[in-house]
Amino acid sequence: MARVYNFSAGPAVLPEEVLREAAAEMLDYNGTGMSVMEMSHRSKPYQRIIDEAEADLRELMNIPANYKVLFLQGGASQQFAAIPMNLMKNKVADYIITGQWAKKAYEEAKKYGTANAIASSADQTFSYIPDCSDLPISENADYVYICENNTIYGTKFKQLPNTKGKVLVSDVSSCFLSEPVDVTKYGILYGGVQKNIGPAGVVIVIIREDLISDDVLPCTPTMLKYKIHADNGSLYNTPPAYGIYICGKVFKWLKKQGGLEAMKAYNEKKAAILYDFLDRSKLFKGTVRKEDRSLMNVPFVTGREELDAEFIKAATEAGFVNLKGHRTVGGMRASIYNAMPIEGVKKLVAFMEEFEKQHS
């Protein structure tokens, strides 16, 4: 069967080149006579894999030397607890609620101290990013938390909040490596890799060294202490070894594409094709305020539930899969991550135009 155009929000499409390479190495990685899946994480070949992955990520993101890169497991959701456990020295943190994942992180943080929701876009179903230029930042806040790109609702912070000198913590799961970032503006940026970088099971945490210490909440499990993982080069326990190997391949693929500047230009081009169509369509409507639109996740609706369902069914049959919107929002959502080729977006738009003609 031919490969479909996979618009899933995650686990999501991976570069075909990477999948073919991994397939070719499945039984024998680099002359070792075994798969990476079978390899000891304490072996020299694996040490080279993880070291190279980190070096390539550092190069791609221009990560300064005073930041640690941790390859961890437990997904982004486990970080909802790890962050307050490691950072809440004053037991106070400020959260900007722009969607379900920020809300979940906020609810989790409440277990460990005072979490304040200092801004929210819940009043309009998270269809915009609130003004964060002058927020009521708590005087003794240990950090300010955001989810930078909202996978479910299709919004993106185009400008980081003014944290008034407080540490910024950002969940970048669904915009990871989609465009250049200035790492120095963050204390921590982290993300699950299953949207834009690799298979589910790995979370990457990029953390400034001064935020890593033994001074954590007494209830912090050993496995959630950043210091443990930083001191052991992400190899304190068996890491998600195969997932990290695939991430490493994706980093090399991104370098080959020209790095993050090139990816941003490509992603803007792809998103414009879809948004331009939505803006002129008489049937389909985008759900996000224009200035806050994500390059990665594009939600849209017809305005009629039964027509949405008909469209999703027809699209699936035509080879455009996983377009159903999140259960909390309904409608449709096209996730057009780095590995989604521009042809996929063009063909989707052509299909939508045809569908619109038939239903006008």
Side-chain angles (χ1 to χ4, degrees), residues 124-260:
Q124 291 177 36
T125 328
F126 302 119
S127 59
Y128 71 102
I129 298 289
D131 177 7
C132 296
S133 57
D134 185 19
L135 296 167
I137 307 280
S138 308
E139 211 171 300
N140 55 344
D142 292 300
Y143 59 88
V144 176
Y145 183 101
I146 61 169
C147 179
E148 202 158 319
N149 187 92
N150 296 285
T151 323
I152 295 173
Y153 303 96
T155 59
K156 165 82 163 68
F157 279 81
K158 302 291 167 73
Q159 207 168 352
L160 294 176
N162 173 9
T163 64
K164 301 181 179 174
K166 301 298 181 188
V167 169
L168 177 65
V169 174
S170 180
D171 174 354
V172 296
S173 295
S174 52
C175 58
F176 221 158
L177 300 182
S178 61
E179 57 183 69
V181 291
D182 180 355
V183 174
T184 64
K185 289 183 174 170
Y186 305 82
I188 295 180
L189 67 161
Y190 76 92
V193 305
Q194 71 277 9
K195 298 168 185 295
N196 220 8
I197 302 174
V202 185
V203 60
I204 298 172
V205 176
I206 300 163
I207 176 169
R208 212 172 59 211
E209 281 178 347
D210 61 292
L211 299 174
I212 302 171
S213 76
D214 282 320
D215 179 19
V216 296
L217 297 191
C219 62
T220 308
T222 302
M223 283 301 292
L224 292 192
K225 291 178 181 173
Y226 291 134
K227 191 165 181 353
I228 286 282
H229 297 291
D231 288 351
N232 289 279
S234 301
L235 295 167
Y236 173 73
N237 68 319
T238 309
Y242 194 80
I244 294 167
Y245 152 78
I246 299 288
C247 292
K249 288 204 173 294
V250 172
F251 301 154
K252 290 199 184 303
W253 178 80
L254 284 166
K255 282 168 68 174
K256 219 156 107 184
Q257 308 311 304
L260 302 191

Side-chain angles (χ1 to χ4, degrees), residues 330-349:
M332 286 72 68
R333 170 183 51 179
S335 293
I336 49 175
Y337 298 122
N338 286 342
M340 171 57 67
I342 202 161
E343 294 71 44
V345 181
K346 285 177 177 170
K347 285 179 178 172
L348 173 65
V349 166

Side-chain angles (χ1 to χ4, degrees), residues 247-289:
C247 292
K249 288 204 173 294
V250 172
F251 301 154
K252 290 199 184 303
W253 178 80
L254 284 166
K255 282 168 68 174
K256 219 156 107 184
Q257 308 311 304
L260 302 191
E261 286 287 357
M263 280 326 296
K264 185 186 185 196
Y266 189 57
N267 288 328
E268 284 175 339
K269 207 168 157 186
K270 280 190 295 188
I273 292 166
L274 187 45
Y275 284 126
D276 288 351
F277 168 70
L278 290 172
D279 288 342
R280 66 173 191 270
S281 171
K282 298 226 172 2
L283 178 64
F284 298 99
K285 292 279 166 282
T287 57
V288 174
R289 190 167 76 177

